Amino acid sequence: MLKVEVYRYNPETDKTPYMKTYEVDTEGKDLMVLDVLEMLKAKDASLSFRRSCREGVCGSDGVNISGKNGLACITPLSSCVKNNKLVLRPLPGLPVIRDLVIDMSQFYAQYRKIEPFLQNDTPAPAIERLQSPEDRAKLDGLYECILCACCSTSCPSFWWNPDKFVGPAGLLQAYRFLADSRDSANEKRLNGLSDPFSVFRCHGIQNCVSVCPKGLNPTRAIGHIRNMLLHSAT
Amino acid sequence: MSLPITAYVSILHRISGIVLLGGIILLLWMLDTSLSSEQGFNELKETLSSPLMIIIVWGLLAGLAYHTIAGIRHLLMDIGIGETLEGGRLGAKIVALLAVLAILAIGVFLIW
Protein backbone atom coordinates (compact mmCIF):
# COMPACT_ATOMS: atom_id res chain seq x y z
CA MET A 1 0.00 0.00 0.00
CA LEU A 2 1.30 3.42 -0.97
CA LYS A 3 1.09 6.11 1.70
CA VAL A 4 -0.13 9.44 0.34
CA GLU A 5 -0.04 12.61 2.40
CA VAL A 6 -2.30 15.28 0.97
CA TYR A 7 -2.63 18.94 1.92
CA ARG A 8 -6.24 19.55 2.89
CA TYR A 9 -7.94 22.88 3.47
CA ASN A 10 -11.57 23.82 3.21
CA PRO A 11 -11.91 27.47 4.28
CA GLU A 12 -15.57 26.93 5.17
CA THR A 13 -14.90 24.24 7.78
CA ASP A 14 -11.15 24.24 8.59
CA LYS A 15 -9.44 26.90 10.66
CA THR A 16 -6.01 25.88 9.37
CA PRO A 17 -4.72 23.61 6.62
CA TYR A 18 -3.65 20.09 7.64
CA MET A 19 -2.01 17.03 6.07
CA LYS A 20 -4.24 13.97 5.66
CA THR A 21 -2.74 10.52 5.14
CA TYR A 22 -4.36 8.04 2.78
CA GLU A 23 -3.41 4.53 1.76
CA VAL A 24 -3.71 3.53 -1.86
CA ASP A 25 -3.26 0.12 -3.46
CA THR A 26 -1.36 0.73 -6.69
CA GLU A 27 -1.05 -3.02 -7.37
CA GLY A 28 2.64 -2.47 -7.91
CA LYS A 29 2.03 -0.47 -11.08
CA ASP A 30 4.06 2.64 -11.92
CA LEU A 31 1.02 4.91 -12.14
CA MET A 32 1.02 8.63 -12.75
CA VAL A 33 0.40 10.88 -9.73
CA LEU A 34 -2.91 11.96 -11.30
CA ASP A 35 -4.09 8.32 -11.29
CA VAL A 36 -3.46 8.24 -7.55
CA LEU A 37 -5.37 11.50 -7.09
CA GLU A 38 -8.32 10.02 -8.99
CA MET A 39 -8.24 6.94 -6.75
CA LEU A 40 -8.26 9.23 -3.69
CA LYS A 41 -11.15 11.21 -5.14
CA ALA A 42 -13.14 7.97 -5.50
CA LYS A 43 -12.48 7.22 -1.82
CA ASP A 44 -12.99 10.74 -0.51
CA ALA A 45 -15.18 12.92 -2.73
CA SER A 46 -14.40 16.04 -0.67
CA LEU A 47 -10.85 16.19 -2.08
CA SER A 48 -10.45 18.99 -4.64
CA PHE A 49 -7.87 19.36 -7.40
CA ARG A 50 -7.75 20.64 -10.97
CA ARG A 51 -7.31 18.37 -13.96
CA SER A 52 -8.38 18.20 -17.55
CA CYS A 53 -6.48 16.59 -20.43
CA ARG A 54 -4.48 14.04 -18.34
CA GLU A 55 -1.59 14.10 -20.84
CA GLY A 56 0.55 17.14 -20.03
CA VAL A 57 -1.02 19.48 -22.58
CA CYS A 58 -3.56 21.59 -20.71
CA GLY A 59 -1.39 22.51 -17.72
CA SER A 60 -4.18 22.45 -15.13
CA ASP A 61 -2.87 19.81 -12.71
CA GLY A 62 0.32 21.49 -11.56
CA VAL A 63 0.96 20.45 -7.92
CA ASN A 64 3.88 20.21 -5.55
CA ILE A 65 4.83 16.53 -5.67
CA SER A 66 7.10 15.39 -2.82
CA GLY A 67 8.64 18.86 -2.69
CA LYS A 68 8.99 19.49 -6.42
CA ASN A 69 6.47 21.22 -8.67
CA GLY A 70 5.22 19.20 -11.62
CA LEU A 71 2.21 18.06 -13.60
CA ALA A 72 0.47 15.19 -11.78
CA CYS A 73 -0.59 13.58 -15.07
CA ILE A 74 2.92 13.07 -16.46
CA THR A 75 4.86 12.45 -13.24
CA PRO A 76 5.28 8.70 -12.67
CA LEU A 77 5.28 7.44 -9.10
CA SER A 78 8.73 5.92 -9.64
CA SER A 79 10.18 9.42 -9.99
CA CYS A 80 8.70 10.93 -6.82
CA VAL A 81 7.87 8.22 -4.24
CA LYS A 82 10.46 7.86 -1.49
CA ASN A 83 10.19 5.23 1.28
CA ASN A 84 6.77 4.26 -0.10
CA LYS A 85 5.46 7.78 0.62
CA LEU A 86 4.05 10.45 -1.68
CA VAL A 87 3.43 14.01 -0.45
CA LEU A 88 1.06 16.25 -2.39
CA ARG A 89 0.72 19.97 -1.72
CA PRO A 90 -0.68 22.88 -3.73
CA LEU A 91 1.78 24.91 -5.81
CA PRO A 92 3.56 27.17 -3.29
CA GLY A 93 3.39 30.95 -3.06
CA LEU A 94 -0.15 31.60 -4.27
CA PRO A 95 -3.34 31.70 -2.15
CA VAL A 96 -5.09 28.34 -1.64
CA ILE A 97 -8.76 28.23 -2.56
CA ARG A 98 -9.30 24.67 -1.37
CA ASP A 99 -7.08 21.59 -1.00
CA LEU A 100 -4.80 21.48 -4.07
CA VAL A 101 -6.62 24.28 -5.90
CA ILE A 102 -4.83 27.64 -5.90
CA ASP A 103 -5.90 31.14 -6.89
CA MET A 104 -3.82 31.96 -9.99
CA SER A 105 -5.00 35.60 -10.37
CA GLN A 106 -1.55 37.05 -9.64
CA PHE A 107 0.06 34.68 -12.11
CA TYR A 108 -2.37 35.68 -14.85
CA ALA A 109 -2.04 39.38 -13.98
CA GLN A 110 1.70 39.12 -14.68
CA TYR A 111 1.00 37.27 -17.93
CA ARG A 112 -1.43 40.01 -19.00
CA LYS A 113 1.24 42.64 -18.25
CA ILE A 114 3.59 41.41 -20.97
CA GLU A 115 0.85 41.71 -23.64
CA PRO A 116 1.07 38.12 -24.90
CA PHE A 117 -0.20 38.68 -28.42
CA LEU A 118 1.41 39.61 -31.73
CA GLN A 119 1.60 43.34 -32.33
CA ASN A 120 2.44 44.75 -35.73
CA ASP A 121 1.57 48.26 -36.88
CA THR A 122 2.46 47.77 -40.56
CA PRO A 123 -0.46 47.18 -42.99
CA ALA A 124 -1.54 43.55 -43.02
CA PRO A 125 -0.45 41.78 -46.22
CA ALA A 126 -2.97 39.93 -48.42
CA ILE A 127 -1.49 36.61 -47.30
CA GLU A 128 -0.07 35.56 -43.91
CA ARG A 129 2.90 37.43 -42.47
CA LEU A 130 5.67 35.16 -43.66
CA GLN A 131 8.69 34.14 -41.64
CA SER A 132 11.93 32.44 -42.69
CA PRO A 133 12.59 28.98 -41.26
CA GLU A 134 15.52 30.53 -39.34
CA ASP A 135 13.29 33.17 -37.75
CA ARG A 136 10.67 30.56 -36.97
CA ALA A 137 13.33 28.42 -35.25
CA LYS A 138 13.96 31.27 -32.79
CA LEU A 139 10.54 30.58 -31.26
CA ASP A 140 11.36 26.95 -30.45
CA GLY A 141 11.67 26.40 -26.72
CA LEU A 142 9.43 29.42 -26.11
CA TYR A 143 6.04 28.82 -27.72
CA GLU A 144 5.60 25.38 -26.07
CA CYS A 145 4.76 26.88 -22.65
CA ILE A 146 1.35 25.74 -21.35
CA LEU A 147 1.14 28.22 -18.45
CA CYS A 148 0.89 25.53 -15.76
CA ALA A 149 2.65 27.89 -13.30
CA CYS A 150 5.04 25.19 -12.04
CA CYS A 151 7.99 27.51 -12.75
CA SER A 152 6.71 30.79 -11.35
CA THR A 153 5.47 29.14 -8.14
CA SER A 154 8.89 27.50 -7.61
CA CYS A 155 10.69 30.84 -7.96
CA PRO A 156 11.76 32.56 -4.70
CA SER A 157 11.83 35.94 -6.46
CA PHE A 158 8.19 35.41 -7.47
CA TRP A 159 7.29 34.35 -3.90
CA TRP A 160 8.66 37.67 -2.63
CA ASN A 161 7.26 39.94 -5.32
CA PRO A 162 4.33 38.26 -7.11
CA ASP A 163 2.87 41.69 -7.78
CA LYS A 164 6.00 43.29 -9.29
CA PHE A 165 8.23 40.54 -10.69
CA VAL A 166 6.78 39.13 -13.91
CA GLY A 167 8.10 35.66 -13.07
CA PRO A 168 9.66 32.98 -15.29
CA ALA A 169 6.44 32.00 -17.12
CA GLY A 170 5.56 35.58 -18.04
CA LEU A 171 9.13 36.45 -19.03
CA LEU A 172 9.49 33.34 -21.22
CA GLN A 173 6.39 34.55 -23.09
CA ALA A 174 7.66 38.14 -23.14
CA TYR A 175 10.78 36.87 -24.92
CA ARG A 176 8.66 34.68 -27.22
CA PHE A 177 7.19 37.92 -28.67
CA LEU A 178 10.44 39.91 -28.49
CA ALA A 179 12.09 37.17 -30.57
CA ASP A 180 9.28 37.02 -33.13
CA SER A 181 10.32 38.60 -36.46
CA ARG A 182 6.66 39.43 -37.17
CA ASP A 183 6.23 41.52 -34.03
CA SER A 184 7.11 45.22 -34.30
CA ALA A 185 6.45 46.36 -30.74
CA ASN A 186 9.87 45.51 -29.29
CA GLU A 187 10.59 49.05 -28.12
CA LYS A 188 7.31 49.30 -26.24
CA ARG A 189 7.73 45.79 -24.80
CA LEU A 190 11.25 46.55 -23.55
CA ASN A 191 10.14 49.85 -22.02
CA GLY A 192 7.53 47.96 -20.05
CA LEU A 193 10.20 45.63 -18.65
CA SER A 194 13.01 48.08 -17.87
CA ASP A 195 12.06 48.82 -14.22
CA PRO A 196 14.08 47.24 -11.35
CA PHE A 197 11.45 44.55 -10.62
CA SER A 198 9.86 43.12 -13.79
CA VAL A 199 12.99 41.35 -15.11
CA PHE A 200 15.83 42.16 -12.73
CA ARG A 201 14.47 40.30 -9.70
CA CYS A 202 15.67 37.13 -11.45
CA HIS A 203 18.86 35.97 -9.71
CA GLY A 204 19.52 32.89 -11.81
CA ILE A 205 18.35 30.45 -9.13
CA GLN A 206 17.10 28.14 -11.91
CA ASN A 207 14.31 26.51 -9.90
CA CYS A 208 12.13 27.28 -12.93
CA VAL A 209 14.39 25.33 -15.29
CA SER A 210 14.60 22.38 -12.92
CA VAL A 211 10.81 21.97 -12.62
CA CYS A 212 9.47 22.87 -16.11
CA PRO A 213 7.42 19.84 -17.26
CA LYS A 214 8.02 20.84 -20.88
CA GLY A 215 11.80 21.15 -20.45
CA LEU A 216 11.84 24.87 -21.28
CA ASN A 217 14.43 27.35 -20.01
CA PRO A 218 13.07 30.66 -18.64
CA THR A 219 16.50 31.56 -17.20
CA ARG A 220 18.03 31.72 -20.67
CA ALA A 221 15.06 33.70 -22.05
CA ILE A 222 15.46 36.20 -19.20
CA GLY A 223 19.18 36.49 -20.05
CA HIS A 224 18.22 37.32 -23.65
CA ILE A 225 15.75 39.97 -22.45
CA ARG A 226 18.47 41.52 -20.28
CA ASN A 227 20.80 41.69 -23.25
CA MET A 228 18.07 43.32 -25.36
CA LEU A 229 17.44 45.86 -22.58
CA LEU A 230 21.17 46.56 -22.45
CA HIS A 231 21.38 47.14 -26.20
CA SER A 232 18.25 49.30 -26.30
CA ALA A 233 19.64 51.50 -23.52
CA THR A 234 22.84 52.42 -25.36
CA MET B 1 10.51 21.85 -0.68
CA SER B 2 13.26 19.87 -2.30
CA LEU B 3 15.48 22.39 -3.99
CA PRO B 4 18.07 21.93 -6.78
CA ILE B 5 21.75 22.58 -6.02
CA THR B 6 21.53 25.86 -7.98
CA ALA B 7 19.03 27.13 -5.40
CA TYR B 8 21.37 26.33 -2.48
CA VAL B 9 24.27 28.07 -4.23
CA SER B 10 22.04 31.10 -4.75
CA ILE B 11 20.73 31.36 -1.19
CA LEU B 12 24.26 30.95 0.20
CA HIS B 13 25.36 33.79 -2.08
CA ARG B 14 22.73 35.98 -0.49
CA ILE B 15 23.52 34.88 3.08
CA SER B 16 27.26 35.44 2.55
CA GLY B 17 26.42 38.88 1.16
CA ILE B 18 24.52 39.79 4.31
CA VAL B 19 27.39 38.51 6.50
CA LEU B 20 29.83 40.62 4.50
CA LEU B 21 27.66 43.73 4.84
CA GLY B 22 28.53 43.78 8.56
CA GLY B 23 31.84 41.95 8.23
CA ILE B 24 33.43 44.43 5.85
CA ILE B 25 32.93 47.17 8.43
CA LEU B 26 34.77 45.05 11.01
CA LEU B 27 37.59 44.24 8.57
CA LEU B 28 37.98 47.90 7.59
CA TRP B 29 38.02 48.91 11.24
CA MET B 30 40.79 46.35 11.85
CA LEU B 31 42.76 47.75 8.91
CA ASP B 32 42.28 51.29 10.19
CA THR B 33 43.36 50.34 13.74
CA SER B 34 46.41 48.45 12.53
CA LEU B 35 47.51 51.47 10.48
CA SER B 36 46.76 54.11 13.11
CA SER B 37 49.76 53.52 15.37
CA GLU B 38 52.28 50.94 16.48
CA GLN B 39 50.35 50.54 19.72
CA GLY B 40 47.10 50.00 17.81
CA PHE B 41 48.79 47.39 15.63
CA ASN B 42 50.10 45.49 18.64
CA GLU B 43 46.79 45.61 20.45
CA LEU B 44 44.97 44.30 17.39
CA LYS B 45 47.55 41.54 16.98
CA GLU B 46 46.92 40.55 20.59
CA THR B 47 43.13 40.50 20.12
CA LEU B 48 43.32 38.51 16.91
CA SER B 49 45.41 35.74 18.46
CA SER B 50 42.50 34.42 20.55
CA PRO B 51 40.79 31.31 19.13
CA LEU B 52 37.39 33.04 19.08
CA MET B 53 38.72 35.89 16.93
CA ILE B 54 40.42 33.45 14.59
CA ILE B 55 37.08 31.70 14.08
CA ILE B 56 35.28 35.01 13.48
CA VAL B 57 37.86 36.19 10.95
CA TRP B 58 37.80 32.80 9.28
CA GLY B 59 34.01 33.06 9.01
CA LEU B 60 34.22 36.51 7.43
CA LEU B 61 36.91 35.51 4.96
CA ALA B 62 34.96 32.35 4.14
CA GLY B 63 31.95 34.53 3.33
CA LEU B 64 34.13 36.78 1.19
CA ALA B 65 35.63 33.82 -0.67
CA TYR B 66 32.26 32.20 -1.30
CA HIS B 67 30.63 35.47 -2.37
CA THR B 68 33.44 36.20 -4.81
CA ILE B 69 33.41 32.74 -6.40
CA ALA B 70 29.60 32.61 -6.70
CA GLY B 71 29.69 36.17 -8.05
CA ILE B 72 32.01 35.14 -10.85
CA ARG B 73 29.49 32.43 -11.76
CA HIS B 74 26.83 35.15 -11.99
CA LEU B 75 29.00 37.16 -14.36
CA LEU B 76 29.56 34.10 -16.53
CA MET B 77 25.82 33.41 -16.62
CA ASP B 78 25.24 37.03 -17.64
CA ILE B 79 27.30 36.40 -20.77
CA GLY B 80 25.36 33.23 -21.45
CA ILE B 81 27.62 30.54 -19.95
CA GLY B 82 25.94 27.90 -17.78
CA GLU B 83 22.34 28.89 -18.40
CA THR B 84 21.11 25.41 -19.30
CA LEU B 85 19.87 22.97 -16.67
CA GLU B 86 23.03 20.85 -16.92
CA GLY B 87 25.29 23.90 -17.22
CA GLY B 88 23.69 25.50 -14.18
CA ARG B 89 24.12 22.36 -12.10
CA LEU B 90 27.72 21.92 -13.18
CA GLY B 91 28.47 25.58 -12.44
CA ALA B 92 26.90 25.25 -8.99
CA LYS B 93 28.99 22.16 -8.23
CA ILE B 94 32.17 23.91 -9.37
CA VAL B 95 31.34 26.91 -7.14
CA ALA B 96 30.75 24.62 -4.14
CA LEU B 97 34.01 22.75 -4.74
CA LEU B 98 36.13 25.87 -5.25
CA ALA B 99 34.56 27.54 -2.20
CA VAL B 100 35.30 24.56 0.05
CA LEU B 101 38.92 24.49 -1.16
CA ALA B 102 39.32 28.25 -0.70
CA ILE B 103 37.78 28.20 2.79
CA LEU B 104 40.04 25.30 3.85
CA ALA B 105 43.08 27.13 2.47
CA ILE B 106 42.15 30.28 4.37
CA GLY B 107 41.71 28.23 7.55
CA VAL B 108 45.14 26.63 7.16
CA PHE B 109 46.69 30.06 6.52
CA LEU B 110 45.03 31.58 9.62
CA ILE B 111 46.01 28.81 12.00
CA TRP B 112 49.58 28.66 10.78
Side-chain angles (χ1 to χ4, degrees), chain A residues 64 66-68 92 159 203-207 209-210 217 219-220 223 226, chain B residues 1-4 6-7 10 14 73-74 77-78 82-85 88-89:
Chain A
N64 187 273
S66 297
K68 191 181 174 194
W159 296 339
H203 299 302
I205 299 166
Q206 289 195 312
N207 280 7
V209 190
S210 79
N217 190 331
T219 302
R220 190 166 48 205
R226 280 182 174 149
Chain B
M1 289 293 286
S2 75
L3 297 171
T6 49
S10 176
R14 185 160 283 212
R73 174 169 173 263
H74 259 301
M77 283 177 76
D78 276 347
E83 280 185 328
T84 60
L85 184 57
R89 279 182 186 152

Side-chain angles (χ1 to χ4, degrees), chain A:
Chain A
M1 296 290 265
L2 174 70
K3 249 193 195 166
V4 190
E5 271 184 36
V6 187
Y7 177 102
R8 299 298 311 266
Y9 179 56
N10 178 351
E12 285 167 17
T13 56
D14 305 327
K15 267 193 186 150
T16 50
Y18 61 98
M19 297 302 288
K20 189 167 178 179
T21 308
Y22 297 89
E23 294 218 328
V24 174
D25 184 9
T26 59
E27 297 169 10
K29 289 181 209 155
D30 191 10
L31 301 171
M32 295 295 174
V33 172
L34 182 61
D35 297 325
V36 173
L37 274 172
E38 293 292 355
M39 290 160 93
L40 293 180
K41 179 82 179 172
K43 270 189 187 179
D44 179 352
S46 71
L47 176 67
S48 300
F49 55 90
R50 289 195 180 109
R51 59 143 299 164
S52 183
C53 77
R54 60 99 185 92
E55 57 184 10
V57 173
C58 73
S60 50
D61 66 350
V63 280
N64 187 273
I65 304 164
S66 297
K68 191 181 174 194
N69 291 354
L71 296 179
C73 54
I74 54 170
T75 304
L77 290 178
S78 57
S79 73
C80 57
V81 170
K82 275 171 215 138
N83 301 323
N84 200 37
K85 198 170 91 175
L86 175 68
V87 185
L88 299 174
R89 292 170 181 273
L91 292 177
L94 291 177
V96 174
I97 295 173
R98 180 175 166 152
D99 298 340
L100 302 176
V101 179
I102 52 164
D103 177 0
M104 291 172 63
S105 310
Q106 284 178 311
F107 177 78
Y108 292 133
Q110 293 301 341
Y111 182 51
R112 192 172 300 125
K113 220 190 250 179
I114 60 106
E115 305 190 353
F117 42 86
L118 196 83
Q119 298 180 44
N120 192 324
D121 49 14
T122 59
I127 56 166
E128 297 88 347
R129 291 187 192 277
L130 296 178
Q131 200 172 29
S132 70
E134 293 75 35
D135 280 338
R136 169 61 189 76
K138 288 177 188 164
L139 308 182
D140 288 338
L142 304 171
Y143 79 92
E144 296 95 327
C145 173
I146 55 173
L147 296 173
C148 64
C150 284
C151 60
S152 288
T153 59
S154 74
C155 172
S157 298
F158 190 73
W159 296 339
W160 282 105
N161 294 294
D163 52 338
K164 289 186 277 190
F165 175 51
V166 173
L171 290 171
L172 188 83
Q173 287 317 293
Y175 183 63
R176 181 247 170 275
F177 288 98
L178 285 167
D180 195 320
S181 62
R182 299 163 297 179
D183 191 281
S184 65
N186 272 17
E187 200 179 327
K188 186 180 83 174
R189 291 181 187 283
L190 289 172
N191 281 339
L193 294 170
S194 60
D195 64 284
F197 280 92
S198 299
V199 175
F200 292 102
R201 285 294 112 176
C202 170
H203 299 302
I205 299 166
Q206 289 195 312
N207 280 7
C208 54
V209 190
S210 79
V211 299
C212 179
K214 309 300 269 186
L216 309 179
N217 190 331
T219 302
R220 190 166 48 205
I222 293 167
H224 288 311
I225 297 176
R226 280 182 174 149
N227 283 341
M228 291 178 91
L229 282 166
L230 194 66
H231 286 295
S232 72
T234 50

Side-chain angles (χ1 to χ4, degrees), chain B residues 3-22:
Chain B
L3 297 171
I5 183 173
T6 49
Y8 288 105
V9 165
S10 176
I11 193 69
L12 278 173
H13 193 223
R14 185 160 283 212
I15 292 168
S16 62
I18 293 167
V19 168
L20 286 180
L21 194 69

